[in-house]
Amino acid sequence: MTVELGLSADQEAIAELFDGFFAKESPVSVARAAEPLGFDRDLWGKVVELGAPGMGSAESAGGGGASLSDLVLVAEAVGRSIAPVPLVDHLAALGVLDDPDLVAGDALAGVAVRPADADGVWRLVPVGAVTDVVVGVDGDDLVAVRSAPPMAAPLNHGSAPLADRSARQGDRRVLGPAAAFQPVLDRWKVLTAASLVGISEAALRMGVEYVMAREQFGVPIGSFQSVQHGLADLPVLIDGGRMLTHKAAWALDRAEPAADDWRLNDIEDGSTLASMAFLFTSEGAAEATHRSLHYHGGYGFSEEYDIQLLYRRARGWSLVLGDPADEHLQLADRLFGPVEA
Amino acid sequence: MDFSLTAENLAYRDRVRAIVAETVTPDVVDRMHTTGTFNSPELNLALARAGLVERAVPGLGKGDPIELYILFNELEKAGAPFDGLAIALMIAGVVQAVGTDEQKQRILPTITSGEALVCMGYSEPDNGSDLANIKTRAVRDGDEWVINGAKMWTTMAHEASWVILLTRTDPELPPRRGLTMFILPMDTPGITVDPVHTMATERTNATYYDDVRVGDEAVLGAVNGGWATMMVALSFERGVMGGTNPGVALLRHFADWAAESGLVESPTCRERLARMAIDNHVATLLTQRSAWIAASGGQAGLEGSITKVFAVEAYQKAARWCQEMAGPAGLLQFHQPGAAAGGFVDYDARHSPVTTIYGGTTEINRNNIAERHLGLPKAR
Ligand SMILES: Cc1cc2nc3c(=O)[nH]c(=O)nc-3n(C[C@H](O)[C@H](O)[C@H](O)COP(=O)(O)OP(=O)(O)OC[C@H]3O[C@@H](n4cnc5c(N)ncnc54)[C@H](O)[C@@H]3O)c2cc1C
């Protein structure tokens, strides 16, 4: 046997640990209570006790030395519970940061996924409202800036702790050239993709549970074939997205560079795969949460039911990067070569 | 997870690629589309002579089980005529799984040598998705069985040496329990083959069985155990033997044409090419998963349904996009001057509709996912 597409025993243990942890500590009611900011300090404290913030950092820096392939399992668990903690962004940022307080989780880090504007401001940083350090591109440089987080966010679709953050004011460190940001962004895309797979799966479970319980015309609505088929499409998107995300993590974990040959569908480059995984799971999560909401009927639209929390986050967590059409075009450049200007 | 192929896998893949490059010439591809017979004796023989076929037969092969996936993935990506070989190997796998020693000795070498093809007689004029209710009868007469009935869509029947035939042996039993599978030579007296032409280039057949007499040596699996044999066959069909990566050749044909024609500069075109590349890769990964499950001793029936539902709908979407983007040139067929991608755009737009129908329709696969994966009740 060669190809190994199952989880290792260690990975099974990681998945079980984090799924168990979030199921217990962060049922959906916790995310609901954390609205509108989308951050629960107590829950973060428990995440810190678990050692999760530094899990992917080097052991020499006091971290757990986990691979990105392992972190994917953590991110999926975060997604499944829509836990109101910026763990995905923190783990991504720690790809280039190893400050002891960040590794310990006493301070939080986030990623400015889009470069700073001309005024040196990173607009709508995904978890910028609550993180002490933000890493991102400012001009030609990759920089990390430590400053006091605003702890308030503009009201937004996914109840995410979005905020503008300065790339110039605060304790600013230049980490390298702007190009050094690519690995951080790749990590962010892969971990976000994993969290979107998690959210999709949670939406599917919620949908299946609902259609088995809800009766119309004297039978569970889950016995209607059109409802079944609408839900049967979702494992297709979930499994496909999960495989692609795992492959992206595997490719990024491998140190060796690898080339793509789209003509033969041999895609091995980590950045290409990260982009693919992010795009595919973004659409998948939008579809899964929407379908599940739809099969809840009017209740799905009501604030009281949980599916709307998932629906809004599926969009909120992915659209912070920008119009997916742009990401598709960048992927096209990567695969087919850029168009001459 | 580890997505890497071993050095040995890569060597196997390179040997397949080399043989494809040598034997699947433009003439061979053209012949496939002109005759409608998606089979290439030269290719089958070349693969068999290189020893690449026998080692890939499910359950029989001495090679790494992942080789079966590699073989058909390479053939499909290349746009090679592989249906004949795929059906033959699938049935070789069934014979290996449920056949008697005598059947294995008599039948398998004819297939693994790359010479004999097999056709599948399951569907009938009045029963496609509802296979459990097929009507073709096999009746005991002394030491023999007498078979009467009609099958529809018996692809490759006009070239095949063997037919695997689903019959009803006991009409008194509940539908699934009164079925028996046979495997018999196509030159057995009483079999006739009529061509059925399709709206794409592919040809299939209607086959008729009039007082066809065979002995017990033709019974494949248990008498009245035909449904179980059928399930083994379907688990291969929905697995890894092609059919889940049709978009790769389409993307290659179309992107090359888009580059030549300048269409590739359009952002709409580029976005769609990127989407096609993503879907193609997802389809491959899902197929790899089925291969890995099969290689680890499991049956990838459900995962096969998931893969097929995804892959063929993505392919249909892509074929439609390509035809729209190509404009009128996308309406022109093979050999017509100015045809987009040499006629492949038109071809894929005509061919793609069948992919949600044959090999188990998308609805049947969704039923399967809903019931077996989601645990929903039997649909109403
Ligand atoms: C080119 C080609 C090659 C083929 N090759 C072979 C072959 O080699 N051997 C062989 O045995 N067969 C072969 N087939 C037959 C193929 O497997 C059948 O066409 C297929 O199983 C569908 O059966 P049907 O055509 O009778 O459609 P039907 O079963 O009549 O279905 C018609 C429509 O109704 C839908 N439907 C049916 N039942 C349900 C349900 N329970 N719930 C929801 N929707 C439903 C179907 O999804 C479909 O959309 C081939 C077909 C084609 C077109």
Side-chain angles (χ1 to χ4, degrees), chain B residues 6 17 37 102 119 211 215 219 227 268 315 366:
Chain B
T6 59
R17 281 186 182 174
T37 303
E102 186 276 325
C119 60
D211 289 330
V219 175
W227 191 255
T268 306
Y315 169 53
R366 287 199 179 106

Side-chain angles (χ1 to χ4, degrees), chain B residues 75-328:
Chain B
L75 294 176
E76 181 164 29
K77 288 193 297 192
F82 69 86
D83 290 8
L85 186 65
I87 300 171
L89 287 203
M90 195 182 326
I91 303 311
V94 178
V95 172
Q96 174 63 26
V98 306
T100 62
D101 288 345
E102 186 276 325
Q103 286 172 327
K104 289 181 201 171
Q105 278 163 24
R106 184 162 47 89
I107 299 170
L108 290 180
T110 69
I111 300 175
T112 54
S113 65
E115 279 158 30
L117 295 184
V118 188
C119 60
M120 302 180 295
Y122 313 144
S123 306
E124 296 186 355
D126 294 334
N127 290 85
S129 301
D130 186 14
L131 277 183
N133 282 305
I134 54 113
K135 298 177 185 66
T136 293
R137 283 283 275 132
V139 177
R140 197 70 173 151
D141 181 24
D143 291 347
E144 292 186 322
W145 295 93
V146 184
I147 303 175
N148 277 287
K151 293 287 175 179
M152 188 58 184
W153 316 111
T154 324
T155 305
M156 293 297 153
H158 60 298
E159 299 278 345
S161 308
W162 303 100
V163 57
I164 172 172
L165 198 61
L166 188 65
T167 68
R168 180 159 309 285
T169 33
D170 192 342
E172 306 300 319
L173 291 174
R176 288 183 184 187
R177 290 206 241 130
L179 300 170
T180 300
M181 192 74 87
F182 287 83
I183 183 163
L184 54 147
M186 276 300 284
D187 60 7
T188 312
I191 302 181
T192 41
V193 178
D194 279 354
V196 173
H197 298 288
T198 69
M199 78 168 189
T201 59
E202 181 174 356
R203 171 207 163 141
T204 175
N205 305 282
T207 50
Y208 302 93
Y209 306 82
D210 296 304
D211 289 330
V212 173
R213 289 186 167 267
V214 291
D216 282 331
E217 80 287 348
V219 175
L220 184 57
V223 171
N224 291 337
W227 191 255
T229 303
M230 182 75 212
M231 287 301 115
V232 175
L234 286 185
S235 78
F236 292 135
E237 178 156 2
R238 289 177 194 159
V240 297
M241 303 176 70
T244 54
N245 243 195
V248 178
L250 172 61
L251 175 61
R252 189 170 58 243
H253 292 140
F254 187 77
D256 282 345
W257 180 77
E260 271 164 44
S261 65
L263 182 66
V264 74
E265 296 189 16
S266 132
T268 306
C269 175
R270 295 176 72 71
E271 179 179 347
R272 285 175 174 175
L273 292 179
R275 285 175 177 277
M276 286 163 67
I278 296 175
D279 287 348
N280 283 345
H281 208 64
V282 169
T284 284
L285 291 175
L286 289 172
T287 310
Q288 252 179 46
R289 177 177 67 165
S290 300
W292 171 76
I293 290 171
S296 333
Q299 273 206 6
L302 178 64
E303 291 78 7
S305 286
I306 287 179
T307 307
K308 195 191 172 230
V309 165
F310 174 76
V312 297
E313 290 198 336
Y315 169 53
Q316 290 181 351
K317 182 174 65 182
R320 185 182 290 194
W321 277 342
C322 290
Q323 199 174 34
E324 287 167 2
M325 292 189 284

Side-chain angles (χ1 to χ4, degrees), chain A residues 1-4 6 219 223 225 228-229 233 236 239 247 250 262-266 283 333 337 339, chain B residues 1-2 6 9 17 64 77 245 252 256 265 270 275 280-281 284 289 292 310 366-367 377 379-380:
Chain A
M1 247 331 280
T2 55
V3 175
E4 171 58 58
V219 293
S223 59
Q225 196 182 44
Q228 296 192 347
H229 284 193
D233 283 334
V236 173
D239 288 7
K247 184 165 182 185
W250 164 82
W262 64 270
R263 308 176 67 81
L264 287 169
N265 202 17
D266 290 337
E283 258 178 39
D333 287 352
V339 191
Chain B
M1 296 189 192
D2 185 354
T6 59
N9 294 155
R17 281 186 182 174
D64 185 329
K77 288 193 297 192
N245 243 195
R252 189 170 58 243
D256 282 345
E265 296 189 16
R270 295 176 72 71
R275 285 175 177 277
N280 283 345
H281 208 64
T284 284
R289 177 177 67 165
W292 171 76
F310 174 76
R366 287 199 179 106
N367 285 349
R380 50 178 66 235

